[in-house]
Amino acid sequence: MRTLIKHALAATAPREGVTVKGWVRTRRDAKGFSFLEINDGSCLASLQAIVDSAVTGAEHLHDLTTGASVSVTGNLVASPAAGQKWELRATQVELIGKADTSFPLQKKGHTLEFLRTIAHLRPRSNLFGAVFRTRSRLAHAVHQFFQARDFVYVHTPIVTASDCEGAGEMFRVTTLKGNIDEKPEADFFGRRAYLTVSGQLEAETFACALSNVYTFGPTFRAENSNTARHAAEFWMIEPEMAFCDLAGDMDLAEAFVKAMARHTLEHCAEDLGLFEKFVDKGVRPRLEFVVERPFQRVPYAEAVAILQKSGKTFEFPVEPGANLQSGHERYLTEEHFKSPVTVFDYPRTIKPFYMRLNDDGQTVTAMDVLVPGIGEVIGGSQREERLDQLLENMKFQQLKPEDYWWYVDLRRYGSVPHAGFGLGFERLLMFLTGVGNIRDVIPFARTPGSADF
Ligand code: 4AD
Ligand code: MG
């Protein structure tokens, strides 16, 4: 039976007859024996095997080069070497798959840019192993967080006909050839269809039946922004709560970010150590800070005033009534508040139709959570639950109510105040690991001009 290296290294006493399988990181030869450093991805650490040249299979040692796959059986004994508690004294070694000298992960110190070109092999590096183990643990933590609070997980569709954000950033899905706009009713779905930009509208219908729900799935945006924090395909977590207002929404958003930071500290400690050492020295104190301290909250108008008074020259000037740019967001969270901050009550002109209009007639119950190093990690709002006002909002944004008839229906039949938000999973991962480019927290990034692998 195979033992994962993670479990082998967690042994509390020596063990005989342990078999590990993995990939050779390095081999060092000495007189009469060799050291094999084996990693199987179950944890950051590798296991050192000591292979006497007399053991079964040792005649293939010269083929056990970096990148080759191997099975080693032996006795797990306390290691005299520094930095490792256990080592494996091999009694049998088996070469499973060779890797020749063209294996690209021979040396340490490859650039992230180079590693992106070998996205099929980079999970075998320490950094990417750590990133994707952390991604997996946090995905689990997302479900734990919501399930523990009685939220129901809803799988909203990936192919949709409605543009939730109204930003026109949707990828068209079609089987038509030639002019795809000539006869959309002849298309596969009998109409124009797109990849979803958000599961929110569908999630709202479920919240108006099951009370508290969440979605967690892939999301697509044909946004032509080649930045470190935009991907064309990313994963979004979208909770939606019935009988909830903006304050309740902000409470949940903040509790959620805190819980994810706490989970990283408690359950990803070994990998976090690597991020701290090689990616971002400040990552652990930042997570501790986020867990301990309350987030700040500030209305949009006040945030703009702070930016105007800052005396800073931003790449994009601060314009009251306009969207905050990433430089503005980062100034607020990193320099002014020095903590995560939730900005709320944005002008209605820059936000989608579904947000609830405030009594001032000018602002909507929108909220964005901004965090240091990233800027916006969450966007959410209380939804417009009043039928007449929703229809007016649609008119204001030049949308046709017929296109959203089922969404409008929710306001006809037992409408309730409700609220929710969307959190970009990759942006959260960037924040929690310190990794600076969204391309490096997603297994195979899709960005403008790039869909390799
Ligand atoms: O602010 P957004 O556009 O909000 C919505 O889609 C709402 N329908 C959510 C809701 O209320 N249910 O997007 C939400 C979050 C952003 O804060 C950001 O973290 C992430 O999704 N996001 C992106 N992440 C990576 N690449 C992109 N191109 C992203 N666009 C948005
Ligand atoms: Mg947003």
Side-chain angles (χ1 to χ4, degrees):
M1 242 256 296
R2 170 197 186 191
T3 302
L4 287 177
I5 288 174
K6 169 185 170 175
H7 298 306
L9 289 174
T12 49
R15 268 171 64 194
E16 295 193 350
V18 173
T19 300
V20 302
K21 300 187 183 199
W23 293 268
V24 176
R25 282 291 174 83
T26 58
R27 190 188 84 224
R28 267 190 309 123
D29 296 325
K31 213 171 158 48
F33 61 94
S34 296
F35 297 102
L36 282 184
E37 199 192 315
I38 304 164
N39 189 285
D40 66 4
S42 62
C43 61
L44 180 66
S46 298
L47 178 65
Q48 174 151 287
I50 296 158
V51 187
D52 191 289
S53 39
V55 304
T56 317
E59 62 275 20
H60 299 298
L61 261 177
H62 58 277
D63 278 332
L64 286 170
T65 53
T66 300
S69 49
V70 67
S71 170
V72 182
T73 302
N75 301 325
L76 198 65
V77 300
S79 173
Q84 57 184 28
K85 206 169 153 208
W86 301 104
E87 61 186 31
L88 192 65
R89 296 277 167 83
T91 51
Q92 197 177 332
V93 52
E94 186 192 341
L95 168 70
I96 296 177
K98 286 196 226 182
D100 67 25
T101 51
S102 64
F103 180 65
L105 290 171
Q106 300 284 355
K107 306 188 292 277
K108 294 202 166 103
H110 291 301
T111 64
L112 294 174
E113 288 76 12
F114 170 72
L115 290 168
R116 277 174 217 145
T117 68
I118 51 163
H120 59 309
L121 296 172
R122 70 178 183 170
R124 293 199 210 170
S125 67
N126 279 341
L127 174 64
F128 286 96
V131 165
F132 294 120
R133 276 188 300 272
T134 302
R135 185 175 170 118
S136 164
R137 293 200 179 115
L138 283 160
H140 180 64
V142 167
H143 287 294
Q144 275 182 324
F145 178 89
F146 288 112
Q147 297 284 336
R149 287 167 176 74
D150 293 308
F151 281 62
V152 176
Y153 180 31
V154 183
H155 293 122
T156 49
I158 289 176
V159 175
T160 177
S162 49
D163 183 359
C164 174
E165 295 305 296
E169 290 167 342
M170 302 206 291
F171 288 101
R172 181 88 175 261
V173 175
T174 179
T175 52
L176 293 176
K177 305 268 182 295
N179 182 355
I180 59 171
D181 286 316
E182 206 171 13
K183 250 177 107 189
E185 61 281 8
D187 207 341
F188 188 89
F189 296 106
R191 57 185 304 163
R192 288 188 180 87
Y194 307 88
L195 294 178
T196 186
V197 295
S198 162
Q200 177 197 322
L201 304 187
E202 291 91 346
E204 281 187 50
T205 71
F206 270 68
C208 292
L210 306 179
S211 287
N212 292 336
V213 302
Y214 68 107
T215 72
F216 182 10
T219 309
F220 306 85
R221 296 205 182 170
E223 226 170 330
N224 204 0
S225 27
N226 237 322
T227 77
R229 38 176 233 150
H230 287 90
E233 176 179 316
F234 61 99
W235 281 58
M236 188 149 56
I237 295 140
E238 296 183 272
E240 190 70 34
M241 295 171 285
F243 308 102
C244 181
D245 62 9
L246 184 68
D249 200 33
M250 295 197 274
D251 290 345
L252 184 78
E254 295 170 7
F256 182 58
V257 173
K258 278 177 183 288
M260 295 303 108
R262 192 177 304 114
H263 192 90
T264 309
L265 287 165
E266 287 172 5
H267 298 277
C268 308
E270 188 189 29
D271 292 326
L272 186 61
L274 178 105
F275 303 139
E276 206 175 4
K277 205 159 157 200
F278 295 110
V279 179
D280 177 357
K281 281 186 191 59
V283 64
R284 189 186 301 269
R286 189 169 72 227
L287 297 189
E288 284 162 354
F289 180 89
V290 165
V291 168
E292 283 158 23
R293 301 274 285 272
F295 289 20
Q296 305 290 315
R297 289 184 188 179
V298 60
Y300 166 90
E302 206 176 301
V304 167
I306 291 168
L307 291 165
Q308 286 174 322
K309 277 187 254 157
S310 69
K312 293 262 301 187
T313 339
F314 295 102
E315 186 190 348
F316 299 97
V318 184
E319 263 181 70
N323 261 317
L324 297 181
Q325 300 293 327
S326 132
H328 308 147
E329 293 176 348
R330 293 189 56 175
Y331 173 80
L332 290 170
T333 167
E334 289 165 21
E335 295 183 48
H336 185 82
F337 290 103
K338 298 190 169 60
S339 99
V341 51
T342 306
V343 181
F344 62 97
D345 287 350
Y346 283 75
R348 76 182 300 205
T349 45
I350 56 170
K351 290 292 181 185
F353 74 97
Y354 55 72
M355 295 189 179
R356 191 178 197 279
L357 188 68
N358 281 318
D359 291 344
D360 61 16
Q362 305 295 316
T363 61
V364 286
T365 50
M367 62 104 179
D368 279 3
V369 178
L370 316 178
V371 295
I374 311 290
E376 177 191 341
V377 70
I378 287 182
S381 65
Q382 183 176 340
R383 320 306 188 188
E384 185 55 74
E385 86 285 11
R386 299 162 296 186
L387 177 61
D388 293 348
Q389 189 57 52
L390 181 69
L391 295 172
E392 200 277 324
N393 289 1
M394 288 179 142
K395 208 164 139 198
F396 185 74
Q397 309 274 6
Q398 296 172 351
L399 297 172
K400 287 195 250 137
E402 313 85 88
D403 292 344
Y404 297 85
W405 63 271
W406 49 276
Y407 185 77
V408 176
D409 259 6
L410 295 179
R411 280 72 182 164
R412 278 200 181 97
Y413 308 122
S415 189
V416 294
H418 60 289
F421 62 80
L423 169 135
F425 190 48
E426 287 74 14
R427 292 212 187 152
L428 176 75
L429 288 168
M430 292 168 70
F431 177 60
L432 298 176
T433 60
V435 169
N437 197 306
I438 197 164
R439 292 163 182 76
D440 298 328
V441 293
I442 192 158
F444 299 99
R446 272 82 182 94
T447 51
S450 167
D452 297 333
F453 305 100

